């Protein structure tokens, strides 16, 4: 498949897009490059460079893992239970501090 790549002055990948198969390989009128690629797995913006007509990932690049799962929000029933427990604890502390409970 043919890919159009936008590169910085050091031939590092800034952006890329698919091109039609009838597009000629090489430099475009606007100074970008059209290259041939089997897959786009190496096309990671800011982490790859064009070397001998092929996109090469930085050797120290590590693909990020899946996003971390955020904990579920507590349900209304769970919140009510927590509030009830806190109120009971506050009342018990009040009784202890006032000396009404032994």
């Amino acid at each position: 498949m043919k890919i159009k790549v936008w590169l910085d002055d050091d031939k590092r990948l800034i952006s890329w897009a698919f091109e039609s198969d009838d597009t000629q390989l090489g430099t475009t009128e606007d100074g970008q490059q059209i290259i041939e690629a089997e897959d786009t797995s190496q096309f990671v913006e800011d982490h790859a460079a064009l070397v001998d007509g092929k996109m090469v990932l930085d050797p120290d690049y590590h693909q990020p893992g899946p996003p971390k799962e955020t904990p579920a929000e507590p349900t209304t029933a769970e919140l009510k239970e927590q509030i009830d427990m806190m109120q009971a604890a506050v009342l018990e502390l009040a009784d202890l501090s006032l000396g009404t409970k032994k």
Side-chain angles (χ1 to χ4, degrees), residues 13-100:
L13 183 64
I14 297 170
S15 186
W16 65 276
F18 292 102
E19 278 292 318
S20 64
D21 287 332
D22 60 345
T23 306
Q24 285 189 327
L25 296 176
T27 306
T28 65
E29 292 176 0
D30 60 354
Q32 308 316 316
Q33 296 286 322
I34 306 296
I35 63 172
E36 188 76 35
E38 293 294 319
D39 69 87
T40 57
S41 63
Q42 303 290 303
F43 289 67
V44 181
E45 296 162 358
D46 298 323
H47 296 283
L50 188 63
V51 178
D52 296 327
K54 296 189 188 282
M55 200 54 59
V56 178
L57 275 175
D58 295 341
D60 60 346
Y61 176 74
H62 298 285
Q63 186 174 6
K68 292 182 180 179
E69 195 172 309
T70 57
E73 294 291 321
T75 64
T76 303
E78 291 170 332
L79 290 173
K80 184 176 178 348
E81 182 181 347
Q82 289 175 3
I83 290 170
D84 290 345
M85 290 172 57
M86 285 188 282
Q87 286 177 335
V90 167
L91 289 173
E92 187 171 338
L93 283 172
D95 286 344
L96 287 171
S97 65
L98 294 173
T100 57

